[in-house]
Amino acid sequence: MASSIAVCRLNMRGRLSKCFKKVDSCFQRKFGTNTTATKTDAPNKKYKIDSKDRNKSFYTVQEEKIEQAERSVLISCPAKTNEKKFLNYLSRHGDINKCFFYESYGTYAVVEFSNKESLTSLHEGTAIPSINHEATVPFKSRLLSLRNAGPVDMSNGQSAPQCQPQTTIHINDLIQRLSKEDSIDQQISSLTETYQLTEENVCLRFLVCSLLKDIAAAYFPECTIRPFGSSVNGFGKLGCDLDMFLDLDGISGRNLKRPKAGLSLEYQTKRSASERAGTQSILSVIGECVDQFGPGCVGVQKILQARCPLVRFAHQPSGFQCDLTANNRVAMKSSELLYLYGGLDRRVRCLVFSVRCWARAHSITSSISGAWISNFSLTVMVLFFLQRRTIPILPTLDHLKELAGPLDKSVIEGNDCTFVSDFTKIRLQDNTETLEQLLQEFFEFYGTFAFNCMSINIRKGREQNKPEVSPLHIQNPFEPALNVSKNVNGTQLERFVALCRESAWMLQQREFNVPHRGSGTGNNAPWGLAALLMPSVSQVAGVKSRKKRKREPASERIKGLLESLKNREVKS
Ligand code: GTP
Ligand code: MG
């Protein structure tokens, strides 16, 4: 009897005290019900810009996904929920477009209705929980709990839904997987396939933004919260953080033309000392609201004195580590630019994923900020390298600006951020280099780059004299006076260069650049990209061994790898 199943709003306090330990969420999902109410997509669809969204502009995709998210709800379900009964129960509120399950501190379902009106009906039939000894704040969000007061058997004799994990695999498993491939090109493609965000994961990211928007709407009903950074730029890895931008630009009345004569009304508003001060106070109150009333939002920190003020928290039901910023339009533009570059040629994303994974495996990058190279800087370095090929794979930012139409014009805080948004206007040159060649050449390029005197500039697509003394200088594409890698110190740059040289050397050696088949045990010795991801002995030894490694490219790591290859050959 469906009437005994109730959807309750998640108790906001129940879980707040639990520590949020896991950043990478463990997603699981199930597809393929026969219910007429559901149109589920093919399983484990990967988020590829070059699939159906290939020619859609960044903002078209954003608007579509924001609109989908506004029709969606996130429901915590008992582990053994019967999907068919669940969907039949929900379909009383309207047709369901899409539904998927995942696991993160319990089982959750993302349910997308065909029409937004269904949510009104769903809200009308949803109760506020009453909990003994605890008080709940009656804030009505779209994060709900499925309750079964009986006697409906929600498991219907089934065990937990057969689910597919959607989290990143451990680096050791990745190395094993890549070692089984037949070519370095296949290894690079396989790594990209394994790491990239799934379409469901992207939907969930937009849904979390939409849930947050409902909180911010208490102050600014017409605001939008948009994801940016690797959640949407095409370079996101499962488990990456969720960068969000509170967009107040769309608030109506901003661009309303006042009559030249006669009466008119305008809002009285509070003034703040500067735009930065205004951003800080907006984030402060919204951060407070998220902390006090945001279901599932834990560990809220207001980091308002940073160069870019933000509110950081963990969204427990999705497993995302979230950064909420405001007034951060340049970062949105950077995300759009990366999205465009990543969609132009499939080799771009493949190379970025491989280089980012290689850098992470050797602690060249880190999930915490410090004096090391950031993922963003590393991505810009790959784009620059691809502009510098004899036949360039990517056009310069100046060229993209030349192709821009009137609607593409964008000036943010005095900086010209104009570039074309329409993929079809961009003509690419006929470069046929393989991924293997590009990876090899990437390491050679940066292993010998004149970092001491040259700056990396993707606007011009060529290196330029360094305007300042920072060890690594990468000109900010949209704020030319800024260096995006100002934080990087000499030691970190030196480590990067040494690893580039070592990796370039390894890829030239026959021991490493052809597959090594095992003795039938199914375990193949790491070779090619897999060998490049093996932990470095010198890294464990620390800074002291660095000088030695410079003189001796065949480091302990390489010796160790060669030794393991020899042993395997003897065994087989
Ligand atoms: P992840 O490491 O996967 O999170 O990559 P990310 O690209 O999301 O990087 P991060 O979360 O550090 O930053 C989010 C976005 O902010 C980036 O994609 C850029 O658009 C922007 N950003 C980050 N660092 C800088 C910087 O130093 N300068 C500028 N201009 N933008 C930056
Ligand atoms: Mg990020």
Side-chain angles (χ1 to χ4, degrees):
M1 249 174 26
S3 59
S4 60
I5 305 170
V7 178
C8 303
R9 295 176 198 286
L10 266 192
N11 171 15
M12 282 176 276
R13 294 186 55 197
R15 289 183 171 192
L16 288 183
S17 54
K18 286 190 186 161
C19 184
F20 187 88
K21 287 181 193 147
K22 198 172 62 170
V23 173
D24 282 7
S25 54
C26 176
F27 289 94
Q28 295 191 306
R29 50 164 304 176
K30 180 190 173 191
F31 288 92
T33 68
N34 339 342
T35 172
T36 48
T38 336
K39 282 187 270 166
T40 49
D41 289 338
N44 203 22
K45 236 167 137 192
K46 291 289 185 174
Y47 181 64
K48 290 177 188 162
I49 308 170
D50 51 353
S51 59
K52 68 178 166 46
D53 291 336
R54 168 65 181 81
N55 284 328
K56 287 185 186 166
S57 79
F58 180 74
Y59 281 101
T60 307
V61 175
Q62 283 248 329
E63 292 311 319
E64 282 178 9
K65 295 210 179 290
I66 287 172
E67 195 272 327
Q68 275 171 8
E70 284 175 354
R71 289 185 269 113
S72 304
V73 290
L74 182 53
I75 305 180
S76 162
C77 303
K80 292 187 179 177
T81 297
N82 177 291
E83 185 176 344
K84 192 175 170 192
K85 284 190 178 170
F86 171 68
L87 290 170
N88 276 340
Y89 169 69
L90 286 179
S91 62
R92 63 176 55 187
H93 302 293
D95 285 349
I96 295 168
N97 241 8
K98 195 158 68 178
C99 169
F100 64 90
F101 288 81
Y102 67 89
E103 268 192 8
S104 167
Y105 295 95
T107 304
Y108 284 87
V110 172
V111 181
E112 181 196 313
F113 286 95
S114 303
N115 297 302
K116 209 174 167 184
E117 291 68 49
S118 300
L119 296 183
T120 315
S121 159
L122 182 126
H123 279 310
E124 279 166 3
T126 302
I128 299 212
S130 55
I131 292 168
N132 293 340
H133 315 301
E134 275 188 299
T136 53
V137 181
F139 174 71
K140 292 186 168 183
S141 81
R142 281 176 288 140
L143 176 55
L144 313 162
S145 296
L146 181 72
R147 298 275 180 246
N148 184 1
V152 176
D153 177 10
M154 275 307 278
S155 69
N156 205 21
Q158 286 185 358
S159 54
Q162 201 196 349
C163 299
Q164 291 183 23
Q166 291 201 31
T167 185
T168 48
I169 60 173
H170 190 271
I171 185 80
N172 292 343
D173 297 328
L174 179 71
I175 289 171
Q176 276 300 319
R177 184 177 293 187
L178 300 187
S179 302
K180 290 178 188 150
E181 298 290 351
D182 293 326
S183 69
I184 292 180
D185 273 46
Q186 281 175 15
Q187 290 184 326
I188 294 174
S189 299
S190 169
L191 182 144
T192 310
E193 271 294 310
T194 305
Y195 269 9
Q196 68 193 343
L197 299 182
T198 59
E199 208 162 295
E200 291 76 28
N201 191 274
V202 174
C203 283
L204 185 57
R205 285 168 188 270
F206 275 87
L207 178 51
V208 172
C209 288
S210 183
L211 297 177
L212 255 282
K213 180 236 146 109
D214 289 350
I215 296 175
Y219 300 97
F220 304 105
E222 294 165 283
C223 74
T224 308
I225 292 191
R226 301 175 183 280
F228 70 99
S230 56
S231 298
V232 289
N233 65 18
F235 301 112
K237 175 185 143 188
L238 281 170
C240 69
D241 66 354
L242 172 58
D243 303 294
M244 293 179 279
F245 163 57
L246 172 70
D247 186 353
L248 302 177
D249 284 358
I251 292 183
S252 61
R254 273 184 183 274
N255 302 318
L256 202 68
K257 288 211 168 69
R258 292 195 188 91
K260 292 215 168 87
L263 302 179
S264 71
L265 287 174
E266 64 178 24
Y267 292 100
Q268 285 200 13
T269 56
K270 195 121 183 169
R271 311 257 156 108
S272 59
S274 63
E275 199 158 351
R276 179 177 164 83
T279 301
Q280 285 169 325
S281 54
I282 289 169
L283 283 177
S284 178
V285 290
I286 291 176
E288 200 55 42
C289 209
V290 169
D291 194 16
Q292 300 291 328
F293 308 132
C297 300
V298 299
V300 179
Q301 300 170 58
K302 296 189 219 168
I303 308 171
L304 303 177
Q305 298 310 322
R307 189 180 72 83
C308 180
L310 65 117
V311 175
R312 177 165 291 168
F313 58 94
H315 186 258
Q316 212 167 40
S318 63
F320 296 142
Q321 185 69 39
C322 301
D323 280 350
L324 176 66
T325 60
N327 194 16
N328 197 4
R329 289 179 218 97
V330 176
M332 271 321 276
K333 264 303 183 197
S334 305
S335 304
E336 185 187 348
L337 180 67
L338 263 50
Y339 171 87
L340 186 81
Y341 274 132
L344 285 178
D345 185 303
R346 75 172 281 274
R347 290 170 295 180
V348 180
R349 292 178 65 241
C350 286
L351 204 60
V352 169
F353 270 96
S354 301
V355 169
R356 279 167 76 144
C357 181
W358 163 85
R360 189 73 185 85
H362 297 289
S363 304
I364 294 287
T365 53
S366 164
S367 57
I368 48 169
S369 49
W372 31 84
I373 301 175
S374 68
N375 267 335
F376 180 63
S377 297
L378 203 55
T379 307
V380 177
M381 289 170 90
V382 176
L383 300 180
F384 181 72
F385 160 74
L386 294 172
Q387 291 175 331
R388 297 295 289 137
R389 308 305 302 141
T390 312
I391 300 173
I393 291 179
L394 290 178
T396 66
L397 180 51
D398 271 348
H399 181 64
L400 296 179
K401 185 178 158 188
E402 284 163 19
L403 297 175
L407 291 179
D408 295 324
K409 189 155 178 57
S410 165
V411 177
I412 301 171
E413 289 156 22
N415 294 303
D416 191 349
C417 301
T418 306
F419 61 90
V420 64
S421 58
D422 181 354
F423 281 84
T424 60
K425 287 190 185 167
I426 305 167
R427 294 274 161 269
L428 298 174
Q429 300 195 47
D430 198 13
N431 177 306
T432 54
E433 285 170 296
T434 63
L435 286 168
E436 176 176 353
Q437 282 170 313
L438 291 171
L439 188 65
Q440 164 86 43
E441 301 255 344
F442 173 86
F443 292 130
E444 282 176 21
F445 184 81
Y446 284 115
T448 53
F449 191 85
F451 286 109
N452 58 336
C453 57
M454 301 312 261
S455 160
I456 289 165
N457 184 329
I458 60 165
R459 180 165 283 284
K460 301 280 169 222
R462 58 175 185 269
E463 45 267 52
Q464 296 196 304
N465 289 331
K466 222 156 109 169
E468 53 169 66
V469 290
S470 307
L472 176 59
H473 192 279
I474 303 174
Q475 195 193 74
N476 186 322
F478 299 119
E479 295 167 290
L482 300 182
N483 171 13
V484 300
S485 52
K486 202 177 171 59
N487 59 312
V488 178
N489 67 21
T491 309
Q492 292 302 323
L493 180 65
E494 197 190 322
R495 289 191 57 228
F496 172 75
V497 172
L499 264 162
C500 280
R501 288 180 185 169
E502 190 175 277
S503 300
W505 182 85
M506 280 174 72
L507 284 179
Q508 284 165 3
Q509 310 309 306
R510 211 181 136 63
E511 290 92 329
F512 294 117
N513 66 17
V514 291
H516 288 265
R517 296 292 172 223
S519 52
T521 57
N523 284 338
N524 298 313
W527 71 280
L529 178 57
L532 296 186
L533 301 179
M534 293 287 282
S536 163
V537 174
S538 47
Q539 177 193 315
V540 178
V543 179
K544 277 183 200 155
S545 66
R546 218 168 288 124
K547 286 207 170 76
K548 193 174 163 213
R549 198 172 64 229
K550 244 179 161 182
R551 289 193 303 273
E552 186 189 25
S555 70
E556 289 303 317
R557 174 164 77 113
I558 297 172
K559 281 185 202 157
L561 277 166
L562 283 170
E563 217 40 59
S564 93
L565 290 175
K566 267 192 227 150
N567 289 342
R568 278 176 193 269
E569 268 156 28
V570 170
K571 276 186 200 156
S572 59

